[in-house]
Amino acid sequence: MAKNLPIVPTAKPGSMAETPAGSTWREKRPVLMNCTCLEVTLYCPDGALSIVEGKVSLDLNLCKGCGICANECKDGGIQMVPEYTGAQGVFPVKGEE
Amino acid sequence: MSTTLLTGSEAAAYGAKLAKIEVIAYYPITPAFPAMERVSKFIQDGELKANFVRVESDHSALAATLGASLAGARAFTVTNSQGLLYMTEVCYHTAGLRQPVVMACANRALSAPHSRFPEQGDAVSQGANGWIQLFCENNQEVLDNTIQAFKIAETVKLPVLVNYEGYVQSHTLEEVVIPDQEKVNAFLPLVRFKTLDVENPQGVNTVTSPDFYMDYKFRQNEAMNEAVKVIGEVAETYGQEFGRNWSGLIETYKMDGAEHALVCMGSMVSEARLAVDELRSQGKKVGLVKVRAWRPFPVEALRASLKKVNKVTVFDKNIVYGMGGALGTEVRGALYGQASLNVNSYIVGLGGRKFGLNEIKQVIELSEKTVKQDVISEWFGL
Ligand code: SF4
């Protein structure tokens, strides 16, 4: 039986985040090490970085791992760490498990 | 109701005007151009209240038409050949997004080498894109099918391509009956099918995972299957209202007792009728099956109408390289295992090569001479 779907293929804004595709194909993810200025939120093409209570906040459900943020931060405040190690699956970042 | 002389392109424009289209986006191309010219004149003269969107390419023309349709407007455009090819990507979008867009297409041969002459190769190239495709045999049918196309499209929620041949129809004057506006209004009331809504924002054509994509495609194909029934019903109601029933997916002509059936679509049908009349008067048992809807392909209807003949001759004004004529291949596929008959198919009239009454009779003669083995897409008229 085919699934019941809307006639026109549509989805509510943000529904991609509910089944995050980006987080399954991401090879690296950013880690906010010493992120003090808020400017970097302007560079993220996927809206994964936002300002929450005056601080930069990262939503990993939206992040595709492009690394633009890490590249733009001239102070090295953001670093990219590997998401996978080969076929073994997710490699948890220390302190974030 | 009035009767006037119209070219095929003008007939398409009249059909669109009577359907009260609200948006047309267009990029000029020959030979469909006069249709757009007429529509723009209707708008200029205040006879039609529609937005004319000028764009920089055919791709954008269909994209703007699709956008208008998503916003709930009754939208229409016209193109042919290279323009249709350039639209291909958006053609798939329109069908996949289930928008009831109607497009008229003045069939013209495809480049290279460059040609401006009639052929059905452009429509055939779009045979898998999800659009319903109707072929018209004369200019009256162009007008009638354009109106019916909106009814079909809005019922099954799929776009419809209304094909008529470049020059042979697009630039040839014929007597055409123009129905009364009130009657068309009653036949085709405006039903809004709105997807874009500022009160309820939605992402359209979102990335779809393997969990859903196939189900969407199944539903889209189901709509095509539904069209098999709807096209016939719409033709029937239209016939009752306006006195011209163009029949559903196919029309049979003098098929009673026929042993040899001709199968073709588009303007060739008119001449094939004459050939059948002439051969019948000589006592030859020849009949004709006109394919009016090429998509959805009329598999069941063809099986039913051709089960008693022992020979079928298909004329294809298109070539699928390495395989043959599209119609011949599909007719043979539909009939396979159904009956013991020959399906002989011929590639004819490409790029405007003459294929009139005399040529039709010559092919019939060639086909009559064959025995047992099918003739698979032999080239005629080289
Ligand atoms: S890696 Fe790319 S997507 Fe992820 S937060 Fe940084 S800029 Fe945004």
Side-chain angles (χ1 to χ4, degrees), chain B residues 107 118-120 135-139 141 163-170 174 264-273 290-291 317 355-356 360:
Chain B
N107 304 130
E119 195 199 288
Q120 294 170 343
F135 278 84
C136 312
E137 66 169 295
N138 57 35
N139 295 351
E141 196 182 3
N163 292 295
Y164 58 97
E165 240 166 280
Y167 301 104
V168 176
Q169 291 176 270
S170 73
E174 280 183 348
C264 56
M265 51 194 193
S267 73
M268 284 183 283
V269 172
S270 299
E271 274 144 332
R273 282 181 201 275
K290 160 188 173 174
V291 173
K317 244 187 212 189
F355 190 69
I360 289 179

Side-chain angles (χ1 to χ4, degrees), chain A residues 52-69:
Chain A
V52 179
E53 290 167 0
K55 281 187 181 162
V56 177
S57 155
L58 167 68
D59 184 346
L60 279 172
N61 279 344
L62 297 178
C63 170
K64 64 182 169 191
C66 64
I68 290 174
C69 52

Side-chain angles (χ1 to χ4, degrees), chain B residues 19 74 100 102 145-158 160 184-189 191 230 233-235 237-238:
Chain B
R74 192 172 271 170
V102 172
N145 281 0
T146 305
I147 297 169
Q148 290 183 41
F150 280 101
K151 187 83 176 174
I152 298 162
E154 288 166 14
T155 308
V156 300
K157 310 227 167 9
L158 283 178
V160 181
V184 179
N185 293 351
F187 174 79
L188 190 68
V191 193
V230 171
E233 289 166 359
V234 170
T237 338
Y238 192 89

Side-chain angles (χ1 to χ4, degrees), chain B residues 230-253:
Chain B
V230 171
I231 292 169
E233 289 166 359
V234 170
E236 185 75 34
T237 338
Y238 192 89
Q240 282 159 10
E241 291 300 318
F242 301 94
R244 287 180 301 280
N245 186 342
W246 293 102
S247 80
L249 303 178
I250 65 165
E251 185 204 324
T252 56
Y253 181 69

